[in-house]
Amino acid sequence: MQCREIIKALDELAPRAYACDWDNPGFLAGRADKEVKTILVALDATDEVIDQAIRIHADMIVTHHPLIFRALKQINDEQFISRRIVRMIQADISYFAMHTNFDIAPGCMADLASERIGLNAEAPLEITVQNENGACGIGKIGELPKTMTLEQIAQQVKMAFDLPFVTVYGSQKLIGEIRRVAISPGSGGSMVQTAIAQGAEVLITGDIGHHDGIDAVACGMAIIDAGHYGLEHIFIPFIAEYLKKTFSDQISVIQADPAFPAVVM
C-alpha cells in the first residue's frame, strides 16, 4: 500500500477544498511512493509522537494539526519544527495532516463533537462552505433534547470527551436553565460573538481567555472551556477506525500514546 493511496482515501473523507484559506493541511513531508505497512495517528506531530513512530517502525504519521503552517526558510536540527521534519525524513516516515478540512467536512469534527454531547444540531456555527452537501462549517449550534443546568452540561462534556476537568465561565444564577448550545472544537475565542449572535446559551470550546470568558457571561452566554486537546482528541480514534475499515488488514493502524497537555495536580 503506497502513501499516495492512503492520502487519496483521507482526501475522500475530508477534501482539502473544505480547508480555510489560512490553513496548511495535506502531504507535508516524505515520499508519496513510500510503502506503508504501519500508520501512527496523533493530534500533533510532537517530539514524543515522532519518538513513538520511530520506535514502532511506522511508515506514516497522520495528524490533525499541521506541523508546518508557515514557510520554512531552513530545514535543519536547530529549530524545533524543522528538527521534527528532519527526523521524519531520516526515518523515512511520510507525514500527512488534515486540519480545518476535517473540522468542516460532513461527518467529521463538527458532527462528531455535537453527537457526543447529544446535540440536535441545526446548522454549522459558522458556515464556510455551501455545496451539494448543503451548508458546512466550523462547529455546530442546536438544542439539547431537554433543558439542563450549566453544571449538568459541564459534567456531560467531561464524560463525553473523557476529560479530568473543564473550565466554566458563568453560573446557574446568571445563565439559568440551558437548552440552546453551540460547540466549536479547538480554539474558540473567535466564535464567541458568533455564538452569542445565534442565541447560544452556552458555548463549548477551548482556549478561552479570561476576558473573552467574562465578557461572554456579561452578554448572557456561559462558556465551557474543555481545552484544545480536550475536544479534538476524538480525531485520533475516528481516523484510526476509518483507516482500518478502508484498508482492512492491509495496514496496521496505531493510535498515539495519550498526551493530554494539562492535568489537575
Side-chain angles (χ1 to χ4, degrees):
M1 185 63 58
Q2 288 193 339
C3 177
R4 59 169 52 91
E5 296 174 88
I6 309 295
I7 290 172
K8 182 176 182 292
L10 293 171
D11 279 339
E12 288 172 356
L13 172 68
R16 274 173 268 181
Y18 281 100
C20 296
D21 292 340
W22 51 263
D23 200 9
N24 189 42
F27 183 37
L28 301 184
R31 296 189 293 117
D33 63 353
K34 167 74 177 178
E35 287 294 328
V36 176
K37 295 181 180 178
T38 302
I39 299 175
L40 182 65
V41 182
L43 200 70
D44 298 275
T46 62
D47 289 320
E48 293 79 9
V49 164
I50 295 170
D51 287 343
Q52 183 182 359
I54 293 171
R55 187 171 65 251
I56 66 173
H57 304 290
D59 303 296
M60 186 175 183
I61 297 174
V62 177
T63 69
H64 180 45
H65 298 130
L67 179 59
I68 303 171
F69 268 106
R70 302 173 188 85
L72 296 176
K73 295 185 178 182
Q74 296 90 28
I75 303 294
N76 55 48
D77 64 354
E78 295 185 347
Q79 198 270 349
F80 76 96
I81 291 178
S82 62
R83 182 174 63 244
R84 294 174 190 171
I85 298 295
V86 169
R87 292 188 67 209
M88 284 190 279
I89 290 175
Q90 284 180 325
D92 196 16
I93 296 171
S94 294
Y95 171 50
F96 186 82
M98 43 202 312
H99 190 209
T100 52
N101 51 319
F102 183 82
D103 289 336
I104 293 167
C108 294
M109 188 72 81
D111 288 325
L112 295 172
S114 62
E115 288 168 6
R116 282 220 176 190
I117 61 169
L119 185 66
N120 296 319
E122 300 170 359
L125 182 56
E126 179 181 70
I127 296 172
T128 59
V129 176
Q130 288 271 14
N131 58 23
E132 65 277 5
N133 294 313
C136 303
I138 302 293
K140 291 288 183 179
I141 188 161
E143 293 193 350
L144 297 171
K146 62 179 181 180
T147 58
M148 299 177 69
T149 67
L150 183 57
E151 181 179 357
Q152 287 172 333
I153 296 174
Q155 292 301 321
Q156 183 167 319
V157 170
K158 287 169 61 178
M159 182 172 61
F161 291 90
D162 193 24
L163 304 177
F165 66 92
V166 294
T167 301
V168 177
Y169 295 92
S171 68
Q172 200 60 43
K173 180 179 178 181
L174 291 172
I175 304 300
E177 295 289 305
I178 293 171
R179 187 77 180 266
R180 189 163 178 78
V181 173
I183 187 165
S184 182
S187 184
S190 63
M191 306 302 289
V192 171
Q193 292 304 317
T194 302
I196 291 171
Q198 294 193 46
E201 295 158 324
V202 63
L203 169 64
I204 302 164
T205 189
D207 293 350
I208 293 297
H210 171 75
H211 293 289
D212 285 336
I214 61 174
D215 289 350
V217 175
C219 294
M221 183 182 76
I223 291 182
I224 297 174
D225 185 341
H228 200 124
Y229 179 93
L231 296 180
E232 290 194 328
H233 69 83
I234 60 177
F235 168 87
I236 300 171
F238 179 81
I239 290 297
E241 186 62 25
Y242 173 78
L243 289 170
K244 288 176 183 177
K245 286 182 177 179
T246 302
F247 296 104
S248 187
D249 58 354
Q250 298 175 76
I251 57 173
S252 172
V253 183
I254 298 171
Q255 299 181 40
D257 293 335
F260 198 85
V263 295
V264 177
M265 302 296 288

